Amino acid sequence: METPEGLSVRVLWAIGVIYALLIAASLIVAIMKRRGASEATSELSRRVTSWWFMITIFTIAIVTNRIVSTVFLGLMAFLAFKEYLSLIPTRRIDRLIVLFAYLAIPVQFIFAHQDRYGLFLTFIPVWMFLFFPIAMTLAGKTEGFLHAVGTLSWGMMITVFALSHTAMLLGAGDKAGPAGGAGLLLFLVALTQFNDVAQFTWGKLFGKRKITPTVSPNKTWEGFLGGLVSTAVVAGIAGPFLTPLAVPWAMLAGAIIAVSGFFGDVTISAFKRDLGVKDSGGLIPGHGGILDRVDSLIYAAPVFYHAMHFFVFSGRIS
Amino acid sequence: MSRYLRIAFFAIIVRPVLLIVLGMNVRGREHLPKTGPAIIVANHNSHLDTLTLLALFPLRDLPRLRPVAAADYFLSNKLLAWFALNIIGILPLERGGVKKNPLAALEAALDRGEILILFPEGSRGEPEQRADFKRGVAFLARARPQTPVHPVFIHGLGKALPKGSAILVPFNCDVIAGAPFQWQGKAPEFMEALETQMTMLAGQGQFQPWD
């Protein structure tokens, strides 16, 4: 069954399930608060409140229409890139080059919207990558050149290019499965965020052996594996409903999202630790900045998209 | 009329731009004055400093907030003067070689319960570099010794819109407000306390070099 704009009713049902989980989380936090307020519970409460806002904004963005969805995803990439650029040391002389880097965001998302796979793949990794050093060379300041061009290119890749894969999912058309491109996007984003929460919860309950003590001391093998299994199970249930994947492939997709999400998380942790900041910003109460929230998606989105593109959209797996 | 224009300008243009194009990380919001009279003292890197400080307060406080700005710059042409006086709501201050008491208008505003916003560096200067505070703020505090002085440190707006540039490049900014203090009886001590406060506030952030 299809709604007038082509949005599958399956997406709405899945969103309904997410809200049910959110209500359950709010009830649990309310009960914890009644048993005794502590700093940890009020932090948890702030987080859940922020989840209400984020899920509602995301819901509005994906159910309205594809243009609104793409603009929303582009805005998310912009906020992540801006947060990145505000944290790192930059050179005064590169101000206009930074402005050009921002202007590349709408271009990249237009390519994604038009489903131009070749341009989408080359615009930032080839064209912008070659453009930044040219612009900086012509500006004429060699002091700090390598650092400036390196950090700008890496930031553009890790935020804009990586996150733009979310918009690319929306263009999968009839290959996207029973719930359309919006179904794939919801599958990816919901499972990435679910995996974050699952890893955190398993880690809090059973965490002992640290994986990366110097980068992210709260990450444990118990949390990682618990998250991996939980995410694979949920993916196995949601997959046949939201994607063209059968149960075993959907579980594998869930596992891929969990592992890549973990690496996104620790990569951004390493970046923040290098700069000596705990949170990347203060945009989302209880969570930190936007980079803190989309860190897992930064790895999960390109890995999931390209796995889907290579194996599923091409018909290699059906 | 201009009062509504002012509120509309801040609600429709300034706040959305600050929220999306710039983005603010505010620390110590609880230290900002809830009522007037009060003096807010901040470092100055950009024209955006004033707009950012004004946007930290609820819209209903807007009529009470008065940025103090140089008369020779902001009243230099008619259009700018209208905008500065009616929309930003500045209190013009004569710079250099003035007769009588140059602070009379500021003192009167404090007596009316208004909140003054002061940039004692005197000019935006080199972006993201602090310049020495001028002593006028101490004379104002001496004239109204009961008025609380709120130090606020701002970082990042000099990158977004530095002096001499008309192109805004998005960067997040940090606003760190400190606990208020009062006139203690001597100008050098007051200036030293203010300087210490600002250095302390600046030290709360992890700011990377920009040059």
Side-chain angles (χ1 to χ4, degrees):
Chain A
M1 205 169 87
E2 299 267 308
T3 54
E5 259 101 30
L7 181 80
S8 167
V9 172
R10 287 167 179 249
V11 172
L12 299 179
W13 275 108
I15 290 170
V17 172
I18 292 169
Y19 271 102
L21 288 173
L22 198 53
I23 290 168
S26 296
L27 286 175
I28 292 170
V29 170
I31 292 166
M32 283 168 76
K33 264 188 169 170
R34 285 188 94 183
R35 289 212 182 142
S38 72
E39 184 49 40
T41 35
S42 62
E43 170 80 6
L44 203 60
S45 166
R46 269 198 298 277
R47 266 193 210 193
V48 173
T49 308
S50 290
W51 276 120
W52 277 97
F53 280 99
M54 288 187 288
I55 289 171
T56 303
I57 293 170
F58 183 71
T59 299
I60 293 167
I62 67 168
V63 305
T64 314
N65 63 43
R66 198 175 146 204
I67 293 178
V68 172
S69 310
T70 303
V71 169
F72 165 79
L73 295 168
L75 193 63
M76 178 177 76
F78 165 72
L79 292 175
F81 189 42
K82 174 161 64 80
E83 207 166 73
Y84 171 85
L85 288 171
S86 305
L87 285 171
I88 63 164
T90 52
R91 301 188 304 174
R92 209 170 149 180
I93 195 164
D94 297 331
R95 240 171 65 83
L96 283 185
I97 300 168
V98 167
L99 187 65
F100 273 106
Y102 280 119
L103 295 177
I105 300 172
V107 177
Q108 174 72 0
F109 278 81
I110 287 170
F111 290 153
H113 185 67
Q114 297 177 341
D115 201 27
R116 292 171 183 249
Y117 185 68
L119 282 172
F120 169 83
L121 274 192
T122 49
F123 178 59
I124 290 170
V126 177
W127 300 114
M128 293 312 282
F129 174 76
L130 295 177
F131 167 75
F132 291 142
I134 295 173
M136 286 181 188
T137 308
L138 293 179
K141 185 178 172 185
T142 52
E143 192 193 336
F145 170 82
L146 180 60
H147 187 272
V149 76
T151 50
L152 187 60
S153 304
W154 191 74
M156 186 103 222
M157 288 293 291
I158 200 93
T159 57
V160 180
F161 183 67
L163 290 174
S164 68
H165 287 81
T166 53
M168 206 58 186
L169 283 173
L170 294 172
D174 49 2
K175 297 181 196 115
L184 287 182
L185 177 65
L186 185 61
F187 181 80
L188 166 69
V189 173
L191 283 176
T192 308
Q193 305 301 333
F194 173 80
N195 181 59
D196 279 4
V197 176
Q199 272 191 15
F200 174 81
T201 311
W202 284 103
K204 277 270 174 215
L205 292 176
F206 305 107
K208 277 203 181 71
R209 283 165 282 254
K210 294 181 180 8
I211 302 181
T212 53
T214 54
V215 179
S216 201
N218 291 328
K219 294 273 178 291
T220 59
W221 280 106
E222 292 79 2
F224 171 69
L225 293 172
L228 178 71
V229 172
S230 312
T231 306
V233 169
V234 174
I237 298 165
F241 190 69
L242 287 175
T243 72
L245 303 168
V247 173
W249 295 122
M251 291 184 76
L252 182 62
I256 288 173
I257 289 172
V259 173
S260 52
F262 169 82
F263 284 121
D265 194 332
V266 290
T267 302
I268 295 302
S269 293
F271 160 74
K272 288 187 293 186
R273 213 159 257 265
D274 185 18
L275 294 172
V277 295
K278 193 178 153 287
D279 288 336
S280 63
L283 191 66
I284 315 169
H287 296 255
I290 188 118
L291 276 175
D292 295 314
R293 193 60 274 143
V294 302
D295 51 5
S296 327
L297 199 56
I298 280 170
Y299 268 57
V303 173
F304 176 72
Y305 175 79
H306 289 294
M308 290 298 286
H309 183 86
F310 187 82
F311 291 109
V312 183
F313 300 162
S314 65
R316 286 184 176 91
I317 288 176
S318 57
Chain B
M1 176 61 192
S2 66
R3 178 180 168 158
Y4 294 107
L5 265 180
R6 191 178 183 212
I7 288 176
F9 175 72
F10 276 87
I12 298 165
I13 299 175
V14 176
R15 280 166 185 260
V17 167
L18 286 176
L19 192 70
I20 294 168
V21 180
L22 289 167
M24 285 190 275
N25 296 322
V26 185
R27 279 181 250 188
R29 197 185 274 273
E30 67 278 6
H31 292 311
L32 292 171
K34 278 155 200 81
T35 57
I39 303 169
I40 293 172
V41 173
N43 56 325
H44 202 15
N45 292 309
S46 168
H47 281 319
L48 297 171
D49 293 336
T50 313
L51 296 176
T52 302
L53 288 174
L54 290 173
L56 289 177
F57 291 85
L59 284 174
R60 64 174 185 291
D61 282 349
L62 209 47
R64 269 203 307 222
L65 290 161
R66 306 301 301 273
V68 178
D72 53 280
Y73 182 94
F74 286 96
L75 304 186
S76 58
N77 76 60
K78 267 193 179 160
L79 189 68
L80 182 62
W82 177 84
F83 182 78
L85 289 170
N86 294 293
I87 302 300
I88 307 298
I90 67 159
L91 265 182
L93 179 72
E94 303 281 346
R95 283 197 283 204
V98 190
K99 3 85 226 192
K100 291 188 289 180
N101 177 7
L103 300 176
L106 277 55
E107 290 163 10
L110 289 176
D111 294 339
R112 287 193 299 270
E114 294 178 349
I115 300 171
L116 299 184
I117 297 175
L118 249 65
F119 300 107
E121 287 176 14
S123 145
R124 285 165 293 161
E126 283 293 297
E128 303 306 321
Q129 285 178 26
R130 276 174 60 203
D132 283 342
F133 279 179
K134 298 196 192 314
R135 292 173 49 142
V137 60
F139 301 135
L140 183 64
R142 186 179 63 193
R144 295 292 179 273
Q146 302 301 317
T147 309
V149 177
H150 299 256
V152 177
F153 178 77
I154 310 173
H155 172 267
L157 293 170
K159 299 192 214 173
L161 188 70
K163 187 176 186 175
S165 176
I167 299 168
L168 192 151
V169 177
F171 279 101
N172 284 339
C173 69
D174 290 87
V175 179
I176 309 175
F181 62 101
Q182 279 172 334
W183 172 255
Q184 297 289 339
K186 282 203 173 91
E189 275 83 347
F190 177 86
M191 294 311 291
E192 205 181 299
L194 191 54
E195 203 62 52
T196 315
Q197 281 279 327
M198 292 302 283
T199 308
M200 200 262 296
L201 294 176
Q204 286 184 20
Q206 284 288 343
F207 302 125
Q208 300 293 327
W210 192 70
D211 44 34

PDB file of all heavy atoms in Angstrom, chain B residues 184-211:
ATOM      1  N   GLN B 184      35.045  47.996  43.630  1.00  0.00           N
ATOM      2  CA  GLN B 184      35.629  47.737  44.947  1.00  0.00           C
ATOM      3  C   GLN B 184      36.295  48.977  45.541  1.00  0.00           C
ATOM      4  O   GLN B 184      36.814  48.908  46.657  1.00  0.00           O
ATOM      5  CB  GLN B 184      36.664  46.619  44.860  1.00  0.00           C
ATOM      6  CG  GLN B 184      36.094  45.277  44.421  1.00  0.00           C
ATOM      7  CD  GLN B 184      35.233  44.627  45.492  1.00  0.00           C
ATOM      8  OE1 GLN B 184      35.353  44.952  46.666  1.00  0.00           O
ATOM      9  NE2 GLN B 184      34.344  43.741  45.086  1.00  0.00           N
ATOM     10  N   GLY B 185      36.338  50.086  44.814  1.00  0.00           N
ATOM     11  CA  GLY B 185      36.891  51.296  45.429  1.00  0.00           C
ATOM     12  C   GLY B 185      38.077  51.901  44.698  1.00  0.00           C
ATOM     13  O   GLY B 185      38.417  53.051  44.915  1.00  0.00           O
ATOM     14  N   LYS B 186      38.753  51.137  43.822  1.00  0.00           N
ATOM     15  CA  LYS B 186      39.900  51.706  43.110  1.00  0.00           C
ATOM     16  C   LYS B 186      39.910  51.237  41.665  1.00  0.00           C
ATOM     17  O   LYS B 186      39.691  50.058  41.376  1.00  0.00           O
ATOM     18  CB  LYS B 186      41.213  51.282  43.778  1.00  0.00           C
ATOM     19  CG  LYS B 186      41.542  52.068  45.040  1.00  0.00           C
ATOM     20  CD  LYS B 186      43.044  52.021  45.323  1.00  0.00           C
ATOM     21  CE  LYS B 186      43.438  52.928  46.488  1.00  0.00           C
ATOM     22  NZ  LYS B 186      43.399  52.219  47.787  1.00  0.00           N
ATOM     23  N   ALA B 187      40.208  52.173  40.759  1.00  0.00           N
ATOM     24  CA  ALA B 187      40.158  51.845  39.325  1.00  0.00           C
ATOM     25  C   ALA B 187      41.176  50.780  38.900  1.00  0.00           C
ATOM     26  O   ALA B 187      40.805  49.839  38.199  1.00  0.00           O
ATOM     27  CB  ALA B 187      40.322  53.110  38.491  1.00  0.00           C
ATOM     28  N   PRO B 188      42.461  50.889  39.310  1.00  0.00           N
ATOM     29  CA  PRO B 188      43.412  49.862  38.858  1.00  0.00           C
ATOM     30  C   PRO B 188      43.024  48.458  39.327  1.00  0.00           C
ATOM     31  O   PRO B 188      43.130  47.501  38.573  1.00  0.00           O
ATOM     32  CB  PRO B 188      44.736  50.294  39.491  1.00  0.00           C
ATOM     33  CG  PRO B 188      44.574  51.732  39.790  1.00  0.00           C
ATOM     34  CD  PRO B 188      43.132  51.941  40.104  1.00  0.00           C
ATOM     35  N   GLU B 189      42.526  48.353  40.576  1.00  0.00           N
ATOM     36  CA  GLU B 189      42.108  47.055  41.095  1.00  0.00           C
ATOM     37  C   GLU B 189      40.923  46.518  40.302  1.00  0.00           C
ATOM     38  O   GLU B 189      40.845  45.333  40.002  1.00  0.00           O
ATOM     39  CB  GLU B 189      41.710  47.156  42.578  1.00  0.00           C
ATOM     40  CG  GLU B 189      42.865  47.037  43.539  1.00  0.00           C
ATOM     41  CD  GLU B 189      43.593  48.364  43.736  1.00  0.00           C
ATOM     42  OE1 GLU B 189      43.336  49.305  42.930  1.00  0.00           O
ATOM     43  OE2 GLU B 189      44.400  48.473  44.669  1.00  0.00           O
ATOM     44  N   PHE B 190      40.001  47.428  39.950  1.00  0.00           N
ATOM     45  CA  PHE B 190      38.830  47.030  39.181  1.00  0.00           C
ATOM     46  C   PHE B 190      39.255  46.477  37.821  1.00  0.00           C
ATOM     47  O   PHE B 190      38.798  45.404  37.397  1.00  0.00           O
ATOM     48  CB  PHE B 190      37.902  48.238  39.005  1.00  0.00           C
ATOM     49  CG  PHE B 190      36.693  47.940  38.154  1.00  0.00           C
ATOM     50  CD1 PHE B 190      35.546  47.394  38.722  1.00  0.00           C
ATOM     51  CD2 PHE B 190      36.706  48.199  36.790  1.00  0.00           C
ATOM     52  CE1 PHE B 190      34.437  47.107  37.941  1.00  0.00           C
ATOM     53  CE2 PHE B 190      35.600  47.919  36.005  1.00  0.00           C
ATOM     54  CZ  PHE B 190      34.461  47.374  36.579  1.00  0.00           C
ATOM     55  N   MET B 191      40.168  47.206  37.150  1.00  0.00           N
ATOM     56  CA  MET B 191      40.619  46.765  35.834  1.00  0.00           C
ATOM     57  C   MET B 191      41.352  45.433  35.921  1.00  0.00           C
ATOM     58  O   MET B 191      41.203  44.570  35.058  1.00  0.00           O
ATOM     59  CB  MET B 191      41.533  47.817  35.197  1.00  0.00           C
ATOM     60  CG  MET B 191      40.853  49.133  34.855  1.00  0.00           C
ATOM     61  SD  MET B 191      39.315  48.949  33.939  1.00  0.00           S
ATOM     62  CE  MET B 191      39.922  48.357  32.365  1.00  0.00           C
ATOM     63  N   GLU B 192      42.117  45.275  37.006  1.00  0.00           N
ATOM     64  CA  GLU B 192      42.860  44.027  37.173  1.00  0.00           C
ATOM     65  C   GLU B 192      41.904  42.859  37.401  1.00  0.00           C
ATOM     66  O   GLU B 192      42.073  41.779  36.825  1.00  0.00           O
ATOM     67  CB  GLU B 192      43.820  44.166  38.358  1.00  0.00           C
ATOM     68  CG  GLU B 192      45.018  43.242  38.261  1.00  0.00           C
ATOM     69  CD  GLU B 192      45.927  43.409  39.474  1.00  0.00           C
ATOM     70  OE1 GLU B 192      46.432  44.525  39.668  1.00  0.00           O
ATOM     71  OE2 GLU B 192      46.092  42.420  40.215  1.00  0.00           O
ATOM     72  N   ALA B 193      40.862  43.103  38.230  1.00  0.00           N
ATOM     73  CA  ALA B 193      39.875  42.043  38.493  1.00  0.00           C
ATOM     74  C   ALA B 193      39.175  41.648  37.190  1.00  0.00           C
ATOM     75  O   ALA B 193      38.965  40.461  36.921  1.00  0.00           O
ATOM     76  CB  ALA B 193      38.853  42.530  39.518  1.00  0.00           C
ATOM     77  N   LEU B 194      38.843  42.644  36.400  1.00  0.00           N
ATOM     78  CA  LEU B 194      38.156  42.388  35.128  1.00  0.00           C
ATOM     79  C   LEU B 194      39.050  41.565  34.198  1.00  0.00           C
ATOM     80  O   LEU B 194      38.620  40.579  33.597  1.00  0.00           O
ATOM     81  CB  LEU B 194      37.811  43.734  34.480  1.00  0.00           C
ATOM     82  CG  LEU B 194      36.874  43.727  33.278  1.00  0.00           C
ATOM     83  CD1 LEU B 194      35.591  42.994  33.610  1.00  0.00           C
ATOM     84  CD2 LEU B 194      36.564  45.163  32.858  1.00  0.00           C
ATOM     85  N   GLU B 195      40.296  41.975  34.124  1.00  0.00           N
ATOM     86  CA  GLU B 195      41.269  41.284  33.275  1.00  0.00           C
ATOM     87  C   GLU B 195      41.440  39.826  33.716  1.00  0.00           C
ATOM     88  O   GLU B 195      41.434  38.908  32.891  1.00  0.00           O
ATOM     89  CB  GLU B 195      42.613  42.031  33.366  1.00  0.00           C
ATOM     90  CG  GLU B 195      43.555  41.832  32.202  1.00  0.00           C
ATOM     91  CD  GLU B 195      42.964  42.333  30.884  1.00  0.00           C
ATOM     92  OE1 GLU B 195      42.502  43.493  30.825  1.00  0.00           O
ATOM     93  OE2 GLU B 195      42.969  41.542  29.936  1.00  0.00           O
ATOM     94  N   THR B 196      41.550  39.615  35.027  1.00  0.00           N
ATOM     95  CA  THR B 196      41.707  38.252  35.564  1.00  0.00           C
ATOM     96  C   THR B 196      40.495  37.398  35.214  1.00  0.00           C
ATOM     97  O   THR B 196      40.626  36.251  34.806  1.00  0.00           O
ATOM     98  CB  THR B 196      41.856  38.306  37.105  1.00  0.00           C
ATOM     99  OG1 THR B 196      42.780  39.345  37.412  1.00  0.00           O
ATOM    100  CG2 THR B 196      42.350  36.996  37.658  1.00  0.00           C
ATOM    101  N   GLN B 197      39.311  38.004  35.401  1.00  0.00           N
ATOM    102  CA  GLN B 197      38.068  37.293  35.080  1.00  0.00           C
ATOM    103  C   GLN B 197      38.048  36.854  33.620  1.00  0.00           C
ATOM    104  O   GLN B 197      37.704  35.717  33.309  1.00  0.00           O
ATOM    105  CB  GLN B 197      36.867  38.217  35.336  1.00  0.00           C
ATOM    106  CG  GLN B 197      36.474  38.319  36.784  1.00  0.00           C
ATOM    107  CD  GLN B 197      35.632  37.133  37.197  1.00  0.00           C
ATOM    108  OE1 GLN B 197      34.871  36.595  36.408  1.00  0.00           O
ATOM    109  NE2 GLN B 197      35.795  36.695  38.437  1.00  0.00           N
ATOM    110  N   MET B 198      38.397  37.774  32.709  1.00  0.00           N
ATOM    111  CA  MET B 198      38.340  37.471  31.280  1.00  0.00           C
ATOM    112  C   MET B 198      39.330  36.368  30.924  1.00  0.00           C
ATOM    113  O   MET B 198      39.007  35.458  30.173  1.00  0.00           O
ATOM    114  CB  MET B 198      38.645  38.720  30.443  1.00  0.00           C
ATOM    115  CG  MET B 198      37.584  39.798  30.513  1.00  0.00           C
ATOM    116  SD  MET B 198      35.949  39.260  29.995  1.00  0.00           S
ATOM    117  CE  MET B 198      36.133  39.247  28.234  1.00  0.00           C
ATOM    118  N   THR B 199      40.526  36.430  31.503  1.00  0.00           N
ATOM    119  CA  THR B 199      41.534  35.403  31.231  1.00  0.00           C
ATOM    120  C   THR B 199      41.054  34.053  31.743  1.00  0.00           C
ATOM    121  O   THR B 199      41.219  33.029  31.086  1.00  0.00           O
ATOM    122  CB  THR B 199      42.867  35.787  31.903  1.00  0.00           C
ATOM    123  OG1 THR B 199      43.201  37.117  31.502  1.00  0.00           O
ATOM    124  CG2 THR B 199      43.987  34.851  31.507  1.00  0.00           C
ATOM    125  N   MET B 200      40.411  34.082  32.914  1.00  0.00           N
ATOM    126  CA  MET B 200      39.889  32.854  33.505  1.00  0.00           C
ATOM    127  C   MET B 200      38.796  32.262  32.608  1.00  0.00           C
ATOM    128  O   MET B 200      38.787  31.056  32.336  1.00  0.00           O
ATOM    129  CB  MET B 200      39.333  33.193  34.892  1.00  0.00           C
ATOM    130  CG  MET B 200      39.173  32.034  35.828  1.00  0.00           C
ATOM    131  SD  MET B 200      37.490  31.446  35.822  1.00  0.00           S
ATOM    132  CE  MET B 200      36.580  32.833  36.471  1.00  0.00           C
ATOM    133  N   LEU B 201      37.896  33.113  32.110  1.00  0.00           N
ATOM    134  CA  LEU B 201      36.812  32.635  31.241  1.00  0.00           C
ATOM    135  C   LEU B 201      37.371  32.072  29.934  1.00  0.00           C
ATOM    136  O   LEU B 201      36.936  31.018  29.460  1.00  0.00           O
ATOM    137  CB  LEU B 201      35.821  33.761  30.942  1.00  0.00           C
ATOM    138  CG  LEU B 201      35.018  34.279  32.131  1.00  0.00           C
ATOM    139  CD1 LEU B 201      34.147  35.450  31.708  1.00  0.00           C
ATOM    140  CD2 LEU B 201      34.159  33.183  32.731  1.00  0.00           C
ATOM    141  N   ALA B 202      38.355  32.793  29.370  1.00  0.00           N
ATOM    142  CA  ALA B 202      38.958  32.326  28.115  1.00  0.00           C
ATOM    143  C   ALA B 202      39.595  30.953  28.312  1.00  0.00           C
ATOM    144  O   ALA B 202      39.564  30.112  27.419  1.00  0.00           O
ATOM    145  CB  ALA B 202      39.993  33.325  27.621  1.00  0.00           C
ATOM    146  N   GLY B 203      40.138  30.724  29.523  1.00  0.00           N
ATOM    147  CA  GLY B 203      40.810  29.466  29.813  1.00  0.00           C
ATOM    148  C   GLY B 203      39.862  28.288  29.945  1.00  0.00           C
ATOM    149  O   GLY B 203      40.291  27.137  29.955  1.00  0.00           O
ATOM    150  N   GLN B 204      38.547  28.557  30.057  1.00  0.00           N
ATOM    151  CA  GLN B 204      37.580  27.462  30.182  1.00  0.00           C
ATOM    152  C   GLN B 204      37.355  26.723  28.874  1.00  0.00           C
ATOM    153  O   GLN B 204      36.794  25.642  28.852  1.00  0.00           O
ATOM    154  CB  GLN B 204      36.236  27.991  30.690  1.00  0.00           C
ATOM    155  CG  GLN B 204      36.257  28.335  32.151  1.00  0.00           C
ATOM    156  CD  GLN B 204      34.884  28.768  32.639  1.00  0.00           C
ATOM    157  OE1 GLN B 204      33.873  28.478  32.029  1.00  0.00           O
ATOM    158  NE2 GLN B 204      34.858  29.483  33.747  1.00  0.00           N
ATOM    159  N   GLY B 205      37.737  27.347  27.770  1.00  0.00           N
ATOM    160  CA  GLY B 205      37.529  26.692  26.478  1.00  0.00           C
ATOM    161  C   GLY B 205      38.838  26.129  25.941  1.00  0.00           C
ATOM    162  O   GLY B 205      39.918  26.499  26.395  1.00  0.00           O
ATOM    163  N   GLN B 206      38.722  25.206  24.999  1.00  0.00           N
ATOM    164  CA  GLN B 206      39.899  24.664  24.318  1.00  0.00           C
ATOM    165  C   GLN B 206      39.934  25.310  22.940  1.00  0.00           C
ATOM    166  O   GLN B 206      39.358  24.789  21.995  1.00  0.00           O
ATOM    167  CB  GLN B 206      39.766  23.144  24.160  1.00  0.00           C
ATOM    168  CG  GLN B 206      40.024  22.358  25.417  1.00  0.00           C
ATOM    169  CD  GLN B 206      41.484  22.341  25.790  1.00  0.00           C
ATOM    170  OE1 GLN B 206      42.336  22.648  24.959  1.00  0.00           O
ATOM    171  NE2 GLN B 206      41.789  22.015  27.033  1.00  0.00           N
ATOM    172  N   PHE B 207      40.566  26.464  22.826  1.00  0.00           N
ATOM    173  CA  PHE B 207      40.507  27.176  21.561  1.00  0.00           C
ATOM    174  C   PHE B 207      41.806  27.015  20.790  1.00  0.00           C
ATOM    175  O   PHE B 207      42.884  27.249  21.326  1.00  0.00           O
ATOM    176  CB  PHE B 207      40.181  28.651  21.786  1.00  0.00           C
ATOM    177  CG  PHE B 207      38.890  28.845  22.520  1.00  0.00           C
ATOM    178  CD1 PHE B 207      38.834  29.582  23.683  1.00  0.00           C
ATOM    179  CD2 PHE B 207      37.732  28.253  22.043  1.00  0.00           C
ATOM    180  CE1 PHE B 207      37.636  29.744  24.369  1.00  0.00           C
ATOM    181  CE2 PHE B 207      36.524  28.401  22.714  1.00  0.00           C
ATOM    182  CZ  PHE B 207      36.484  29.147  23.877  1.00  0.00           C
ATOM    183  N   GLN B 208      41.667  26.617  19.531  1.00  0.00           N
ATOM    184  CA  GLN B 208      42.827  26.403  18.686  1.00  0.00           C
ATOM    185  C   GLN B 208      43.268  27.729  18.068  1.00  0.00           C
ATOM    186  O   GLN B 208      42.470  28.639  17.900  1.00  0.00           O
ATOM    187  CB  GLN B 208      42.478  25.408  17.573  1.00  0.00           C
ATOM    188  CG  GLN B 208      42.030  24.053  18.093  1.00  0.00           C
ATOM    189  CD  GLN B 208      43.152  23.308  18.780  1.00  0.00           C
ATOM    190  OE1 GLN B 208      44.309  23.433  18.393  1.00  0.00           O
ATOM    191  NE2 GLN B 208      42.815  22.546  19.810  1.00  0.00           N
ATOM    192  N   PRO B 209      44.549  27.826  17.713  1.00  0.00           N
ATOM    193  CA  PRO B 209      45.038  29.082  17.134  1.00  0.00           C
ATOM    194  C   PRO B 209      44.378  29.405  15.786  1.00  0.00           C
ATOM    195  O   PRO B 209      43.907  28.510  15.087  1.00  0.00           O
ATOM    196  CB  PRO B 209      46.530  28.823  16.948  1.00  0.00           C
ATOM    197  CG  PRO B 209      46.690  27.342  16.969  1.00  0.00           C
ATOM    198  CD  PRO B 209      45.601  26.819  17.837  1.00  0.00           C
ATOM    199  N   TRP B 210      44.328  30.651  15.467  1.00  0.00           N
ATOM    200  CA  TRP B 210      43.760  31.104  14.189  1.00  0.00           C
ATOM    201  C   TRP B 210      44.618  32.262  13.696  1.00  0.00           C
ATOM    202  O   TRP B 210      44.500  33.374  14.183  1.00  0.00           O
ATOM    203  CB  TRP B 210      42.319  31.562  14.382  1.00  0.00           C
ATOM    204  CG  TRP B 210      41.585  31.770  13.098  1.00  0.00           C
ATOM    205  CD1 TRP B 210      41.192  30.798  12.225  1.00  0.00           C
ATOM    206  CD2 TRP B 210      41.140  33.007  12.550  1.00  0.00           C
ATOM    207  NE1 TRP B 210      40.541  31.352  11.164  1.00  0.00           N
ATOM    208  CE2 TRP B 210      40.498  32.695  11.329  1.00  0.00           C
ATOM    209  CE3 TRP B 210      41.214  34.336  12.946  1.00  0.00           C
ATOM    210  CZ2 TRP B 210      39.941  33.677  10.518  1.00  0.00           C
ATOM    211  CZ3 TRP B 210      40.660  35.307  12.141  1.00  0.00           C
ATOM    212  CH2 TRP B 210      40.022  34.987  10.935  1.00  0.00           C
ATOM    213  N   ASP B 211      45.552  31.968  12.780  1.00  0.00           N
ATOM    214  CA  ASP B 211      46.362  33.075  12.277  1.00  0.00           C
ATOM    215  C   ASP B 211      46.863  32.795  10.871  1.00  0.00           C
ATOM    216  O   ASP B 211      46.436  31.848  10.230  1.00  0.00           O
ATOM    217  CB  ASP B 211      47.540  33.358  13.218  1.00  0.00           C
ATOM    218  CG  ASP B 211      48.230  32.093  13.690  1.00  0.00           C
ATOM    219  OD1 ASP B 211      48.302  31.128  12.901  1.00  0.00           O
ATOM    220  OD2 ASP B 211      48.679  32.061  14.838  1.00  0.00           O
TER     221      ASP B 211
END
